[in-house]
Amino acid sequence: MKVLIIGAGIGGLCTALALRRAGIEAQVFERAEGAQEAGTGLTLWTNALRALEQLGLTEALREFAMPYTRAAFQTPHGAVLTETSTLSLTQAPCVSPVAIHRADLHHLLLNALGRDAVQFGTRCVTYQQNQRGVHLQLENGESAYGEALIGADGIHSMLRTSLFAGSEPRFAGYTAWRGIARFRHPHAAIETWGRGIRFGSVVLSQDHTYWFATRNESPGHDADAVTRKQGLLTLFHQWHQQIPEIIEATEAQSILHKDIYELKPLPHWSVGRITLLGDAAHAMTPNLGQGACQAIEDAVVLAECIAQYPQPEDAFQAYERRRLARANRILRQSRLLGQIGQWENSFLCGLRDLALRATPPILLRKQLEPIVGYKIPSAIPVGSVRSGRQL
Ligand SMILES: Cc1cc2nc3c(=O)[nH]c(=O)nc-3n(C[C@H](O)[C@H](O)[C@H](O)COP(=O)(O)OP(=O)(O)OC[C@H]3O[C@@H](n4cnc5c(N)ncnc54)[C@H](O)[C@@H]3O)c2cc1C
């Protein structure tokens, strides 16, 4: 089988890698001219690390990724509301989540995959499927043919919007800034929650910190780089000392701004020989740090299903049975966490802080474990799926 993939983001690259490792031909089409060079950081929880282990990337990750061993919530004055050791989040000892520069992750995936697998500078414009395969029309006038097509083309997926009417992204109600500071951070991920404003930071390397900030705002507001940095310094000037220091230690030009959008959970991702993956299927708010982690889980499971079933339609049904409920559940949980984190009402924020203070670390771990301590179950034998057993 030859599989066509639209999009060389984390989801598309991991899928191509997983397919090629299973001996299945995969070709990726990416509209950007080359590999991602810019960008900020990304946290990868243990569920994603386990999936990447199945792709043979553990050693390479060790070189680029920075583990952190503590996760904490704080008040704007710096008081700790609740914290937990991230080491104890999984049954496997000594596996902690990591932070990594997005460009490093892209390069690492491309190197493992082989650059021949990706056709850069190639925008896909339309497709046509029939009983035997899928024709993909490219903007440069060429076309490609495969037995199956995967849309890993992100939150604004052209494939999804043409397959599923009304699946356009919705605005989450807040906007986000991200940056990398020359700042020595403890080996931890720390979130500070105010009223309608949040700040998060995590160690990225010995001397660098990845951070993000969010604020309730209508979409479409932005400023030039210097005004953006100045605005953030003003917004956080009364927050605990570390936060203004981190913003100050960030180059203004490198601060990225993005309004936060998400998808409503979809009931299906596949139509015939076409399916969706990653943000194209379940773009979620970044509150749980799970968007890319879920895309990586998708990739491993989808490749297993394609390897297991001779017909793409059967493979995609099995993929949905194994992935859809979990990804949609995490999408909803992430949305809820963001809504609570962005509360502005001082009474509600007071209650929220009290609840966080009263949350023992064990309860925090219990809430996180099903999401981040997850290990992809190995494929169900073909016979049991065909006999209709619930997965
Ligand atoms: C502020 C913020 C912070 C985040 N932090 C985290 C985090 O810490 N941890 C985490 O796990 N997730 C995080 N996420 C989510 C994560 O970034 C996404 O879930 C992930 O990048 C999705 O990967 P993807 O490959 O599905 O899509 P994308 O990364 O969007 O890739 C899609 C690719 O498809 C290409 N493309 C689109 N249309 C076409 C076309 N027609 N033809 C050819 N190519 C096309 C695009 O150019 C792009 O390269 C965060 C998101 C945000 C917004």
Side-chain angles (χ1 to χ4, degrees), residues 6-12 29-32 41-44 102 106 122-125 152-155 158 176 178 210 258 260 277-280 284 286 289-295:
I6 312 180
I10 295 165
F29 301 91
E30 168 57 51
R31 66 185 171 189
L42 186 76
T43 53
L44 294 175
R102 280 177 186 259
H106 274 255
T122 310
R123 180 190 289 270
C124 307
V125 282
D153 47 347
I155 186 167
M158 74 88 176
R178 284 173 288 169
Y210 161 54
K258 200 177 180 100
I260 299 300
L277 175 140
D279 273 12
M284 55 189 74
Q290 277 291 322
C293 298
Q294 290 304 305

Tab-separated table of all heavy atoms in Angstrom, residues 6-12 29-32 41-44 102 106 122-125 152-155 158 176 178 210 258 260 277-280 284 286 289-295, ligand 1:
chain	number	residue	atom	x	y	z
A	6	ILE	N	-0.754	14.560	4.041
A	6	ILE	CA	-0.670	16.018	3.880
A	6	ILE	C	-0.187	16.611	5.206
A	6	ILE	O	-0.852	16.451	6.231
A	6	ILE	CB	-2.020	16.668	3.522
A	6	ILE	CG1	-2.701	15.922	2.378
A	6	ILE	CG2	-1.831	18.143	3.174
A	6	ILE	CD1	-4.051	16.517	1.984
A	7	GLY	N	0.951	17.310	5.171
A	7	GLY	CA	1.436	18.015	6.355
A	7	GLY	C	2.625	17.340	7.011
A	7	GLY	O	2.571	16.167	7.383
A	8	ALA	N	3.723	18.118	7.129
A	8	ALA	CA	4.927	17.598	7.797
A	8	ALA	C	5.095	18.262	9.161
A	8	ALA	O	6.180	18.688	9.538
A	8	ALA	CB	6.157	17.832	6.923
A	9	GLY	N	3.983	18.366	9.903
A	9	GLY	CA	4.076	18.769	11.306
A	9	GLY	C	4.498	17.542	12.122
A	9	GLY	O	4.866	16.493	11.555
A	10	ILE	N	4.386	17.654	13.423
A	10	ILE	CA	4.792	16.539	14.287
A	10	ILE	C	3.955	15.289	13.958
A	10	ILE	O	4.489	14.176	13.851
A	10	ILE	CB	4.628	16.934	15.776
A	10	ILE	CG1	5.594	18.076	16.112
A	10	ILE	CG2	4.854	15.745	16.702
A	10	ILE	CD1	5.283	18.796	17.409
A	11	GLY	N	2.648	15.502	13.713
A	11	GLY	CA	1.757	14.376	13.432
A	11	GLY	C	2.105	13.681	12.123
A	11	GLY	O	2.228	12.453	12.073
A	12	GLY	N	2.270	14.463	11.058
A	12	GLY	CA	2.557	13.882	9.742
A	12	GLY	C	3.902	13.163	9.723
A	12	GLY	O	4.030	12.063	9.166
A	29	PHE	N	3.505	15.524	1.899
A	29	PHE	CA	3.501	16.772	1.118
A	29	PHE	C	3.336	17.934	2.083
A	29	PHE	O	2.378	17.962	2.866
A	29	PHE	CB	2.355	16.759	0.095
A	29	PHE	CG	2.463	15.602	-0.859
A	29	PHE	CD1	1.839	14.396	-0.573
A	29	PHE	CD2	3.234	15.707	-2.001
A	29	PHE	CE1	1.968	13.311	-1.431
A	29	PHE	CE2	3.363	14.635	-2.868
A	29	PHE	CZ	2.728	13.431	-2.579
A	30	GLU	N	4.262	18.884	2.027
A	30	GLU	CA	4.259	19.995	2.977
A	30	GLU	C	4.347	21.316	2.209
A	30	GLU	O	5.224	21.491	1.371
A	30	GLU	CB	5.444	19.849	3.947
A	30	GLU	CG	5.745	21.053	4.800
A	30	GLU	CD	4.574	21.537	5.674
A	30	GLU	OE1	3.994	20.712	6.386
A	30	GLU	OE2	4.251	22.740	5.605
A	31	ARG	N	3.444	22.232	2.528
A	31	ARG	CA	3.417	23.507	1.790
A	31	ARG	C	4.613	24.410	2.136
A	31	ARG	O	5.039	25.205	1.297
A	31	ARG	CB	2.091	24.232	2.044
A	31	ARG	CG	1.917	24.685	3.467
A	31	ARG	CD	0.567	25.290	3.735
A	31	ARG	NE	0.400	25.503	5.160
A	31	ARG	CZ	-0.717	25.850	5.744
A	31	ARG	NH1	-1.803	26.009	5.025
A	31	ARG	NH2	-0.782	26.026	7.045
A	32	ALA	N	5.141	24.304	3.367
A	32	ALA	CA	6.286	25.141	3.746
A	32	ALA	C	7.507	24.735	2.922
A	32	ALA	O	7.617	23.592	2.485
A	32	ALA	CB	6.580	24.997	5.230
A	41	GLY	N	9.070	26.337	22.523
A	41	GLY	CA	9.242	25.024	23.143
A	41	GLY	C	7.970	24.209	23.109
A	41	GLY	O	6.919	24.655	22.621
A	42	LEU	N	8.079	23.023	23.642
A	42	LEU	CA	6.966	22.079	23.663
A	42	LEU	C	7.239	21.116	24.811
A	42	LEU	O	8.383	20.697	24.997
A	42	LEU	CB	6.992	21.309	22.341
A	42	LEU	CG	5.878	20.347	22.022
A	42	LEU	CD1	4.633	21.132	21.601
A	42	LEU	CD2	6.287	19.434	20.882
A	43	THR	N	6.206	20.785	25.554
A	43	THR	CA	6.411	19.741	26.564
A	43	THR	C	5.842	18.432	26.031
A	43	THR	O	4.795	18.418	25.379
A	43	THR	CB	5.709	20.091	27.897
A	43	THR	OG1	4.344	20.387	27.642
A	43	THR	CG2	6.368	21.279	28.577
A	44	LEU	N	6.540	17.368	26.293
A	44	LEU	CA	6.069	16.041	25.897
A	44	LEU	C	5.915	15.205	27.152
A	44	LEU	O	6.896	14.962	27.877
A	44	LEU	CB	7.075	15.371	24.952
A	44	LEU	CG	7.260	16.034	23.582
A	44	LEU	CD1	8.379	15.346	22.803
A	44	LEU	CD2	5.963	16.010	22.776
A	102	ARG	N	10.856	23.072	19.529
A	102	ARG	CA	10.084	22.481	18.421
A	102	ARG	C	10.975	22.182	17.213
A	102	ARG	O	10.817	21.157	16.557
A	102	ARG	CB	8.957	23.425	17.996
A	102	ARG	CG	7.752	23.356	18.907
A	102	ARG	CD	6.708	24.370	18.486
A	102	ARG	NE	5.615	24.401	19.437
A	102	ARG	CZ	4.434	23.808	19.261
A	102	ARG	NH1	4.188	23.144	18.162
A	102	ARG	NH2	3.496	23.879	20.176
A	106	HIS	N	11.464	18.634	15.205
A	106	HIS	CA	11.248	18.484	13.762
A	106	HIS	C	12.474	17.882	13.080
A	106	HIS	O	12.355	16.971	12.261
A	106	HIS	CB	10.909	19.839	13.130
A	106	HIS	CG	9.451	20.153	13.202
A	106	HIS	ND1	8.611	20.075	12.121
A	106	HIS	CD2	8.670	20.511	14.238
A	106	HIS	CE1	7.378	20.374	12.491
A	106	HIS	NE2	7.394	20.652	13.775
A	122	THR	N	5.106	22.150	-1.328
A	122	THR	CA	4.062	21.509	-2.126
A	122	THR	C	2.722	21.600	-1.404
A	122	THR	O	2.461	20.850	-0.464
A	122	THR	CB	4.406	20.012	-2.347
A	122	THR	OG1	5.752	19.925	-2.809
A	122	THR	CG2	3.490	19.375	-3.355
A	123	ARG	N	1.905	22.533	-1.841
A	123	ARG	CA	0.582	22.680	-1.235
A	123	ARG	C	-0.416	21.742	-1.929
A	123	ARG	O	-0.452	21.672	-3.154
A	123	ARG	CB	0.095	24.128	-1.372
A	123	ARG	CG	-1.274	24.387	-0.762
A	123	ARG	CD	-1.770	25.754	-1.151
A	123	ARG	NE	-1.015	26.798	-0.493
A	123	ARG	CZ	-1.336	27.323	0.684
A	123	ARG	NH1	-2.431	26.905	1.308
A	123	ARG	NH2	-0.610	28.260	1.216
A	124	CYS	N	-1.190	21.032	-1.122
A	124	CYS	CA	-2.218	20.147	-1.686
A	124	CYS	C	-3.507	20.946	-1.787
A	124	CYS	O	-3.881	21.649	-0.837
A	124	CYS	CB	-2.439	18.952	-0.764
A	124	CYS	SG	-0.909	18.107	-0.388
A	125	VAL	N	-4.180	20.856	-2.923
A	125	VAL	CA	-5.358	21.701	-3.097
A	125	VAL	C	-6.684	20.929	-3.137
A	125	VAL	O	-7.664	21.383	-2.554
A	125	VAL	CB	-5.233	22.635	-4.333
A	125	VAL	CG1	-4.345	23.813	-4.025
A	125	VAL	CG2	-4.730	21.917	-5.564
A	152	ALA	N	-2.866	15.263	7.874
A	152	ALA	CA	-2.180	15.727	9.092
A	152	ALA	C	-1.900	17.207	8.880
A	152	ALA	O	-0.815	17.701	9.163
A	152	ALA	CB	-0.896	14.934	9.317
A	153	ASP	N	-2.919	17.906	8.338
A	153	ASP	CA	-2.710	19.279	7.880
A	153	ASP	C	-3.191	20.330	8.873
A	153	ASP	O	-3.533	21.454	8.488
A	153	ASP	CB	-3.331	19.486	6.480
A	153	ASP	CG	-4.755	18.945	6.355
A	153	ASP	OD1	-5.180	18.201	7.253
A	153	ASP	OD2	-5.433	19.266	5.382
A	154	GLY	N	-3.208	19.969	10.149
A	154	GLY	CA	-3.369	20.970	11.195
A	154	GLY	C	-4.797	21.444	11.423
A	154	GLY	O	-5.745	20.973	10.798
A	155	ILE	N	-4.911	22.406	12.328
A	155	ILE	CA	-6.236	22.854	12.799
A	155	ILE	C	-7.106	23.408	11.668
A	155	ILE	O	-8.320	23.275	11.687
A	155	ILE	CB	-6.087	23.871	13.961
A	155	ILE	CG1	-7.450	24.235	14.546
A	155	ILE	CG2	-5.329	25.116	13.531
A	155	ILE	CD1	-7.375	24.969	15.867
A	158	MET	N	-7.679	21.545	5.242
A	158	MET	CA	-8.583	21.645	4.079
A	158	MET	C	-9.327	20.321	3.900
A	158	MET	O	-10.479	20.291	3.476
A	158	MET	CB	-7.833	22.075	2.814
A	158	MET	CG	-6.954	21.051	2.140
A	158	MET	SD	-7.815	20.028	0.944
A	158	MET	CE	-6.462	19.070	0.304
A	176	ALA	N	-2.579	33.841	23.375
A	176	ALA	CA	-1.367	33.346	24.054
A	176	ALA	C	-0.106	33.926	23.439
A	176	ALA	O	-0.062	34.220	22.238
A	176	ALA	CB	-1.321	31.814	23.957
A	178	ARG	N	4.225	33.192	23.514
A	178	ARG	CA	5.226	32.184	23.879
A	178	ARG	C	6.616	32.718	23.605
A	178	ARG	O	6.811	33.507	22.667
A	178	ARG	CB	5.055	30.917	23.043
A	178	ARG	CG	3.909	30.066	23.450
A	178	ARG	CD	3.708	28.939	22.487
A	178	ARG	NE	3.180	29.387	21.225
A	178	ARG	CZ	3.100	28.623	20.139
A	178	ARG	NH1	3.551	27.394	20.165
A	178	ARG	NH2	2.587	29.092	19.022
A	210	TYR	N	11.508	27.902	28.556
A	210	TYR	CA	10.375	28.093	27.645
A	210	TYR	C	9.208	28.604	28.479
A	210	TYR	O	8.940	28.081	29.556
A	210	TYR	CB	10.034	26.761	26.955
A	210	TYR	CG	8.647	26.720	26.366
A	210	TYR	CD1	8.220	27.711	25.475
A	210	TYR	CD2	7.752	25.709	26.691
A	210	TYR	CE1	6.936	27.689	24.941
A	210	TYR	CE2	6.468	25.673	26.154
A	210	TYR	CZ	6.074	26.677	25.288
A	210	TYR	OH	4.808	26.661	24.770
A	258	LYS	N	-0.419	34.097	19.458
A	258	LYS	CA	-1.408	33.260	18.767
A	258	LYS	C	-2.734	33.295	19.527
A	258	LYS	O	-2.755	33.075	20.745
A	258	LYS	CB	-0.881	31.817	18.748
A	258	LYS	CG	-1.517	30.951	17.700
A	258	LYS	CD	-0.847	29.572	17.754
A	258	LYS	CE	-1.434	28.664	16.738
A	258	LYS	NZ	-0.713	28.488	15.534
A	260	ILE	N	-6.058	31.500	20.581
A	260	ILE	CA	-6.239	30.056	20.797
A	260	ILE	C	-7.591	29.588	20.238
A	260	ILE	O	-8.645	30.075	20.638
A	260	ILE	CB	-6.114	29.709	22.304
A	260	ILE	CG1	-4.719	30.102	22.820
A	260	ILE	CG2	-6.368	28.216	22.534
A	260	ILE	CD1	-3.561	29.410	22.141
A	277	LEU	N	-5.684	13.155	11.318
A	277	LEU	CA	-4.778	12.832	12.426
A	277	LEU	C	-4.263	14.124	13.071
A	277	LEU	O	-4.114	15.146	12.396
A	277	LEU	CB	-3.632	12.020	11.832
A	277	LEU	CG	-2.468	11.643	12.709
A	277	LEU	CD1	-2.050	10.204	12.388
A	277	LEU	CD2	-1.280	12.550	12.509
A	278	GLY	N	-3.952	14.083	14.354
A	278	GLY	CA	-3.379	15.246	15.048
A	278	GLY	C	-4.371	16.396	15.099
A	278	GLY	O	-5.577	16.190	15.245
A	279	ASP	N	-3.881	17.632	14.971
A	279	ASP	CA	-4.752	18.805	15.078
A	279	ASP	C	-5.858	18.797	14.033
A	279	ASP	O	-6.926	19.370	14.253
A	279	ASP	CB	-3.931	20.094	14.933
A	279	ASP	CG	-3.359	20.549	16.273
A	279	ASP	OD1	-3.410	19.751	17.232
A	279	ASP	OD2	-2.858	21.684	16.357
A	280	ALA	N	-5.629	18.199	12.882
A	280	ALA	CA	-6.674	18.142	11.860
A	280	ALA	C	-7.889	17.388	12.398
A	280	ALA	O	-9.023	17.694	12.043
A	280	ALA	CB	-6.140	17.445	10.600
A	284	MET	N	-6.845	20.818	20.096
A	284	MET	CA	-7.304	21.121	21.451
A	284	MET	C	-6.563	22.343	21.989
A	284	MET	O	-5.500	22.704	21.474
A	284	MET	CB	-7.097	19.921	22.370
A	284	MET	CG	-5.689	19.392	22.408
A	284	MET	SD	-5.554	17.818	23.320
A	284	MET	CE	-6.272	16.635	22.221
A	286	PRO	N	-4.133	24.392	24.533
A	286	PRO	CA	-2.850	23.843	25.023
A	286	PRO	C	-2.780	23.604	26.534
A	286	PRO	O	-1.707	23.310	27.046
A	286	PRO	CB	-1.845	24.927	24.610
A	286	PRO	CG	-2.614	26.158	24.391
A	286	PRO	CD	-4.042	25.801	24.131
A	289	GLY	N	-1.127	20.501	27.625
A	289	GLY	CA	0.121	20.184	26.920
A	289	GLY	C	0.016	18.844	26.217
A	289	GLY	O	0.952	18.036	26.230
A	290	GLN	N	-1.138	18.583	25.573
A	290	GLN	CA	-1.376	17.242	25.009
A	290	GLN	C	-1.608	17.230	23.501
A	290	GLN	O	-1.733	16.153	22.918
A	290	GLN	CB	-2.575	16.584	25.713
A	290	GLN	CG	-2.218	15.917	27.025
A	290	GLN	CD	-1.357	14.676	26.832
A	290	GLN	OE1	-1.543	13.908	25.912
A	290	GLN	NE2	-0.395	14.478	27.716
A	291	GLY	N	-1.679	18.394	22.836
A	291	GLY	CA	-1.997	18.398	21.401
A	291	GLY	C	-1.018	17.553	20.596
A	291	GLY	O	-1.409	16.630	19.864
A	292	ALA	N	0.263	17.848	20.730
A	292	ALA	CA	1.273	17.094	19.985
A	292	ALA	C	1.384	15.673	20.534
A	292	ALA	O	1.581	14.715	19.775
A	292	ALA	CB	2.619	17.811	20.072
A	293	CYS	N	1.243	15.530	21.850
A	293	CYS	CA	1.328	14.174	22.457
A	293	CYS	C	0.258	13.271	21.851
A	293	CYS	O	0.519	12.099	21.530
A	293	CYS	CB	1.126	14.251	23.970
A	293	CYS	SG	2.373	15.215	24.837
A	294	GLN	N	-0.956	13.806	21.672
A	294	GLN	CA	-2.034	12.998	21.089
A	294	GLN	C	-1.760	12.703	19.615
A	294	GLN	O	-2.086	11.626	19.122
A	294	GLN	CB	-3.385	13.698	21.264
A	294	GLN	CG	-3.861	13.720	22.712
A	294	GLN	CD	-3.929	12.328	23.315
A	294	GLN	OE1	-4.569	11.442	22.775
A	294	GLN	NE2	-3.237	12.122	24.431
A	295	ALA	N	-1.167	13.666	18.903
A	295	ALA	CA	-0.825	13.426	17.492
A	295	ALA	C	0.175	12.275	17.383
A	295	ALA	O	0.092	11.439	16.475
A	295	ALA	CB	-0.255	14.703	16.874
B	1	LIG	C1	0.365	28.008	22.477
B	1	LIG	C2	0.448	26.536	22.228
B	1	LIG	C3	1.220	25.725	23.049
B	1	LIG	C4	1.250	24.338	22.848
B	1	LIG	N1	1.995	23.559	23.684
B	1	LIG	C5	1.981	22.209	23.543
B	1	LIG	C6	2.746	21.380	24.420
B	1	LIG	O1	3.466	21.860	25.292
B	1	LIG	N2	2.670	20.015	24.245
B	1	LIG	C7	1.895	19.445	23.267
B	1	LIG	O2	1.866	18.224	23.168
B	1	LIG	N3	1.193	20.227	22.411
B	1	LIG	C8	1.213	21.579	22.519
B	1	LIG	N4	0.522	22.368	21.642
B	1	LIG	C9	-0.245	21.724	20.555
B	1	LIG	C10	0.682	21.330	19.401
B	1	LIG	O3	1.416	22.437	18.969
B	1	LIG	C11	-0.154	20.792	18.248
B	1	LIG	O4	-1.123	19.900	18.727
B	1	LIG	C12	0.725	20.044	17.248
B	1	LIG	O5	1.750	20.864	16.772
B	1	LIG	C13	-0.139	19.533	16.101
B	1	LIG	O6	0.685	18.900	15.147
B	1	LIG	P1	0.081	18.495	13.733
B	1	LIG	O7	1.187	17.834	13.011
B	1	LIG	O8	-1.196	17.768	13.923
B	1	LIG	O9	-0.326	19.878	13.043
B	1	LIG	P2	0.588	21.100	12.588
B	1	LIG	O10	1.771	21.258	13.464
B	1	LIG	O11	-0.324	22.272	12.454
B	1	LIG	O12	1.119	20.670	11.152
B	1	LIG	C14	0.305	20.746	10.010
B	1	LIG	C15	1.236	20.879	8.806
B	1	LIG	O13	0.450	20.768	7.624
B	1	LIG	C16	0.901	21.718	6.688
B	1	LIG	N5	-0.226	21.975	5.772
B	1	LIG	C17	-1.441	22.503	6.066
B	1	LIG	N6	-2.223	22.554	4.980
B	1	LIG	C18	-1.487	22.035	3.964
B	1	LIG	C19	-1.757	21.810	2.580
B	1	LIG	N7	-2.946	22.124	2.035
B	1	LIG	N8	-0.794	21.251	1.807
B	1	LIG	C20	0.425	20.919	2.353
B	1	LIG	N9	0.736	21.133	3.648
B	1	LIG	C21	-0.209	21.663	4.453
B	1	LIG	C22	1.282	22.923	7.543
B	1	LIG	O14	2.173	23.794	6.860
B	1	LIG	C23	1.927	22.240	8.734
B	1	LIG	O15	3.316	22.046	8.572
B	1	LIG	C24	0.494	23.762	21.804
B	1	LIG	C25	-0.255	24.574	20.954
B	1	LIG	C26	-0.273	25.950	21.156
B	1	LIG	C27	-1.104	26.793	20.223
